[in-house]
Amino acid sequence: MAEYTLDTALLRECLASGLYYLPQTIQLTLYSLIITLFLGLFCALAIYYKIPALSQFCKIFLTVFRGTPMVLTLLIVSLIYSSNIVKIIEYFRWNITPADINILFLGVLVLSLSFLPASSAAFLGALLSIEKIQFEAGLSIGLTTPQLLRTVIIPQVIPTAMPLLMNLLLSGCKATALVYTIGIVDVMYGALLPCAKYYRYLEGYIAAAIIFWGISIVLNFIINRVSHAVRMEKIDDNTSFNAKDTRNIRPGGRGYAGTRTCEKVIR
Amino acid sequence: MGEFFSLERTIDAFPKLLQSLNVTFEIVIVATCLGLIFGFGLAMIRLFRLPVLYQIASVYISFMRGTPIIIQLYVVYYGLPMLSMNLFGLNINSWDKLFFIITAFVLNEIAFIGEIIRGAILAVPVSQTEAGYSVGLTGLQTFVHIILPQAVRAGLPNFTVDLVSLFQGTSLAFLLGAVDIIGRARMIGTNTAHIFDPYVAAAVIFIIISVLLEFAFGKIQKKGDVVYGRIHS
């Protein structure tokens, strides 16, 4: 029964093919993570300062993307793209065809939107855990709000939000496996390429699983090192962080209580 | 083809999509229940560091948390028939697709819930166990009466997040050909040549149910906090 055994040669071929496309997956993850960090910080600040209209808009926006499964966002965005791109090109009289456009940007767009609830929740939780005194201290020496944010608040927000952002990196990397459904070439796509020849797909998926497992083990190692370093720094720096603060950022901790439901895990 | 989006068609799609909601709920409920039962076992293995089993459980959890659910779905879908053929000589190729989908989600959920339970039990201070022993309770009594009620409340927020993400994760089932909400939306799309509207309707259903789930569990959490007091300090 040849059909019921694993073809190791094919598995190796799939692994090689999948690894060949690893840079694409890393690109996708990094680009969308960077975009989502800026957008997430922006949303968190808008909600924290209760800016009229903008904060309500951000809340609705976050609820929508928290509630929609990523694959559905992907389907909807790619549908909007494919049925309107020709019109857009004609409207602007660009000298290109739809085939010339790198579809990677669609994946980055959808991924960064899907990560947004998690990243803004991380930032908002960190903002809420900063004591009021810090803001007052900054204002009392005559800093403007942008200066205050840049020099006092954000340097404290980033280490506090770090554990959650690191989790986002991990789950975000896994989430990129989905974008192959709209035809973006990544590890998943690459691992499945050799399978089409033989019409055996199990090997391709196992190869993809091995690659993603490897990535997550490496990322986990890095995350542990980084969070250890951050914790060490916090213990050294007694003035702004003490043991209480590090406890508060844990989901379920007090500093986190208001934003706990903003989390979203993408599998 | 007419206009791209029409509110009328979107509203028309709702009743049809809601018919498929039971498939989604079936996956969620079976995966959560079995995940709780076996996840508890997994958490116990990890907590008591049972030799050999501990290593196996660690590798299992690492794999389940380290790989995307989409790959796990396909590996179960293509791999389980091969495994059962080799082990039992049983051909399960023709079994219902939903069986493979549910199996994959159960396997995934065991790892995730197992870690949540472990974290929840670890969140209860050791002094609580000592207090239980000091008044003469046995190990089991201490666990049932002292540790478990506190652990449930400690784990509830994470469990809620997990449940919502599982609910949204079931949307991947359509990739294997199951007729869940998105699968149904695609069917409507092929029948009426308008795929955008049922997608929007599906997104609205997902958003509403996610918000409701979070709201309901938030209420339960709050109630627990009011009755027993917050346990995080």
Side-chain angles (χ1 to χ4, degrees):
Chain A
M1 270 265 187
E3 210 189 312
Y4 289 104
T5 49
L6 213 59
D7 186 344
T8 41
L10 179 59
L11 185 64
R12 233 172 291 139
E13 200 182 333
C14 291
L15 266 177
S17 168
L19 282 175
Y20 178 77
Y21 290 103
L22 189 60
Q24 259 83 349
T25 290
I26 294 174
Q27 243 178 2
L28 266 170
T29 315
L30 284 185
Y31 288 166
S32 42
L33 213 62
I34 290 168
I35 293 174
T36 206
L37 286 187
F38 281 104
L39 283 178
L41 186 60
F42 178 78
C43 283
L45 285 173
I47 294 173
Y48 184 80
Y49 278 107
K50 297 194 177 71
I51 298 170
L54 194 60
S55 70
Q56 281 84 357
F57 174 76
C58 283
K59 274 182 189 163
I60 294 171
F61 194 74
L62 291 176
T63 311
V64 166
F65 283 100
R66 202 168 68 230
T68 318
M70 199 191 120
V71 68
L72 195 53
T73 319
L74 207 57
L75 289 172
I76 290 176
V77 170
S78 70
L79 192 65
I80 293 174
Y81 169 80
S82 57
S83 43
N84 289 311
I85 185 65
V86 178
K87 282 181 215 157
I88 294 171
I89 289 174
E90 276 173 8
Y91 184 79
F92 287 104
R93 297 178 193 284
W94 287 332
N95 203 7
I96 48 171
T97 61
D100 295 335
I101 299 170
N102 191 352
I103 202 171
L104 194 77
F105 94 91
L106 264 191
V108 172
L109 176 70
V110 172
L111 284 169
S112 41
L113 287 178
S114 300
F115 300 161
L116 193 56
S119 75
S120 67
F123 282 124
L124 191 57
L127 272 174
L128 289 171
S129 75
I130 292 177
E131 290 165 48
K132 263 271 177 304
I133 300 172
Q134 298 286 332
F135 289 88
E136 287 160 4
L139 293 174
S140 74
I141 55 167
L143 295 180
T144 61
T145 305
Q147 281 175 331
L148 171 75
L149 287 176
R150 207 179 59 238
T151 54
V152 181
I153 304 304
I154 291 177
Q156 296 186 54
V157 162
I158 288 172
T160 316
M162 203 52 118
L164 288 175
L165 295 180
M166 286 293 168
N167 275 342
L168 183 62
L169 174 65
L170 204 61
S171 71
C173 193
K174 278 179 2 181
T176 59
L178 269 179
V179 297
Y180 89 103
T181 49
I182 59 166
I184 297 173
V185 275
D186 70 333
V187 165
M188 190 78 171
Y189 182 93
L192 291 174
L193 268 184
C195 297
K197 274 186 286 186
Y198 306 99
Y199 222 70
R200 300 168 58 97
Y201 287 94
L202 180 61
E203 284 83 358
Y205 287 110
I206 291 179
I210 293 171
I211 296 172
F212 273 102
W213 197 8
I215 295 174
S216 82
I217 289 171
V218 171
L219 281 181
N220 252 324
F221 180 74
I222 296 171
I223 288 169
N224 282 340
R225 292 302 279 278
V226 170
S227 55
H228 185 72
V230 169
R231 218 176 302 136
M232 282 296 138
E233 205 172 290
K234 278 186 182 178
I235 291 167
D236 289 344
D237 184 7
N238 285 323
T239 49
S240 55
F241 293 104
N242 47 36
K244 196 187 85 211
D245 287 326
T246 49
R247 204 165 52 217
N248 278 348
I249 56 151
R250 196 184 60 204
R254 198 183 289 143
Y256 214 81
T259 55
R260 159 198 306 155
T261 51
C262 291
E263 282 175 87
K264 174 177 175 180
V265 178
I266 306 165
R267 296 188 178 226
Chain B
M1 192 164 156
E3 72 273 41
F4 190 55
F5 174 75
S6 110
L7 194 63
E8 212 173 297
R9 282 199 301 265
T10 311
I11 293 168
D12 279 349
F14 272 105
K16 292 174 197 155
L17 291 178
L18 288 173
Q19 285 170 10
S20 293
L21 206 57
N22 61 340
V23 176
T24 305
F25 280 146
E26 195 182 332
I27 302 171
V28 171
I29 291 169
V30 174
T32 309
C33 291
L34 291 181
L36 277 173
I37 296 167
F38 291 107
F40 188 77
L42 204 65
M44 287 300 132
I45 290 172
R46 295 257 287 171
L47 281 173
F48 288 108
R49 293 184 172 268
L50 303 178
V52 187
L53 283 177
Y54 176 80
Q55 278 78 8
I56 294 173
S58 301
V59 172
Y60 176 78
I61 288 173
S62 160
F63 180 81
M64 286 296 167
R65 290 167 63 104
T67 55
I69 179 77
I70 167 98
I71 296 179
Q72 293 166 18
L73 270 171
Y74 278 113
V75 168
V76 169
Y77 183 58
Y78 289 114
L80 207 58
M82 186 185 278
L83 204 66
S84 97
M85 197 68 190
N86 285 336
L87 290 182
F88 312 112
L90 184 66
N91 189 350
I92 57 170
N93 260 328
S94 55
W95 284 19
D96 191 15
K97 280 170 182 160
L98 207 55
F99 169 76
F100 299 104
I101 294 167
I102 291 178
T103 309
F105 276 107
V106 166
L107 289 175
N108 182 269
E109 199 63 359
I110 289 171
F112 274 82
I113 293 189
E115 280 301 274
I116 292 173
I117 294 176
R118 191 177 76 101
I121 292 175
L122 284 177
V124 181
V126 187
S127 57
Q128 295 288 322
T129 316
E130 289 163 359
Y133 288 145
S134 74
V135 292
L137 296 181
T138 64
L140 188 67
Q141 283 171 332
T142 309
F143 183 77
V144 173
H145 296 294
I146 312 278
I147 307 300
L148 202 58
Q150 300 187 62
V152 167
R153 281 188 294 134
L156 204 56
N158 286 336
F159 180 71
T160 312
V161 171
D162 182 74
L163 192 64
V164 174
S165 105
L166 169 67
F167 170 67
Q168 295 185 359
T170 57
S171 61
L172 293 174
F174 86 93
L175 288 171
L176 289 187
V179 188
D180 69 334
I181 298 178
I182 299 185
R184 176 76 64 168
R186 288 171 80 90
M187 270 164 69
I188 298 172
T190 35
N191 285 341
T192 62
H194 290 288
I195 185 85
F196 187 68
D197 317 87
Y199 277 166
V200 172
V204 172
I205 293 175
F206 270 108
I207 292 167
I208 291 175
I209 295 179
S210 301
V211 170
L212 283 181
L213 273 177
E214 283 173 0
F215 179 76
F217 276 89
K219 276 268 185 248
I220 297 173
Q221 178 78 24
K222 248 191 205 130
K223 194 153 193 179
D225 289 348
V226 169
V227 176
Y228 299 101
R230 293 197 65 100
I231 56 164
H232 306 291
S233 53

